[in-house]
């Protein structure tokens, strides 16, 4: 199975950019749909973005579409989340997740491997 470790979180000014990385270990990484979720205190976990194994298809949550981009480098066992035009409401803990089955981009329970998260704080 896949183990996931996020990095790249931090403090950024509104309107700025930040890139998160998720490094995976496990033989099934290349065949796994990968996604990013976020959760802020007092709010439900929210789907941010997902990407197929080939990187050919990506899907974004409504709140980030047009501002964020997701990509993957299977040779490096890494998934990235490029966040642009950041807003204070983007402040959350961001989690990387992997699907062990399926080749479609899910938005919830399809993901069964999770990282520990990285904090992103956007100041106003």
């Amino acid at each position: 199975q896949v183990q996931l470790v996020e990095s790249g979180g931090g403090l950024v000014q509104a309107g700025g950019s930040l890139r998160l990385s998720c490094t995976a270990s496990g033989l099934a990484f290349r065949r796994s749909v990968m996604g990013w979720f976020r959760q802020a205190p007092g709010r439900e976990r929210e789907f941010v973005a997902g990407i197929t194994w080939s990187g050919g298809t990506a899907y974004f949550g409504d709140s980030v579409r047009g501002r964020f981009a997701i990509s993957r480098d299977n040779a490096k066992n890494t998934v990235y989340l490029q966040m642009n035009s950041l807003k204070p409401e983007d402040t959350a803990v961001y989690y990387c997740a992997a699907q062990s089955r399926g080749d479609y981009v899910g938005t919830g329970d399809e993901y069964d491997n999770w990282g520990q998260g990285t904090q992103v704080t956007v100041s106003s």
Side-chain angles (χ1 to χ4, degrees):
Q1 56 187 29
V2 178
Q3 290 78 47
L4 307 172
V5 179
E6 303 94 335
S7 63
L11 177 65
V12 65
Q13 186 179 3
S17 298
L18 200 64
R19 188 172 80 157
L20 306 182
S21 298
C22 172
T23 300
S25 62
L27 297 176
F29 173 79
R30 194 179 186 277
R31 293 180 290 184
S32 297
V33 173
M34 303 295 297
W36 288 93
F37 293 77
R38 66 187 184 186
Q39 188 168 25
R43 300 196 63 180
E44 295 182 348
R45 187 178 64 192
E46 177 186 16
F47 173 78
V48 175
I51 188 168
T52 58
W53 73 268
S54 67
T57 302
Y59 181 76
F60 298 91
D62 291 341
S63 63
V64 306
R65 188 176 297 112
R67 299 188 296 120
F68 289 11
I70 186 172
S71 62
R72 67 191 296 166
D73 186 339
N74 291 338
K76 297 181 179 179
N77 288 352
T78 301
V79 178
Y80 304 97
L81 183 69
Q82 178 66 47
M83 305 183 292
N84 301 316
S85 301
L86 283 163
K87 306 174 181 179
E89 51 263 45
D90 294 318
T91 296
V93 177
Y94 283 71
Y95 297 91
C96 178
Q99 297 178 195
S100 60
R101 297 167 301 280
D103 56 4
Y104 59 90
V105 176
T107 59
D109 291 342
E110 298 89 351
Y111 297 87
D112 48 16
N113 289 286
W114 295 83
Q116 293 185 338
T118 184
Q119 177 71 47
V120 173
T121 302
V122 183
S123 64
S124 59

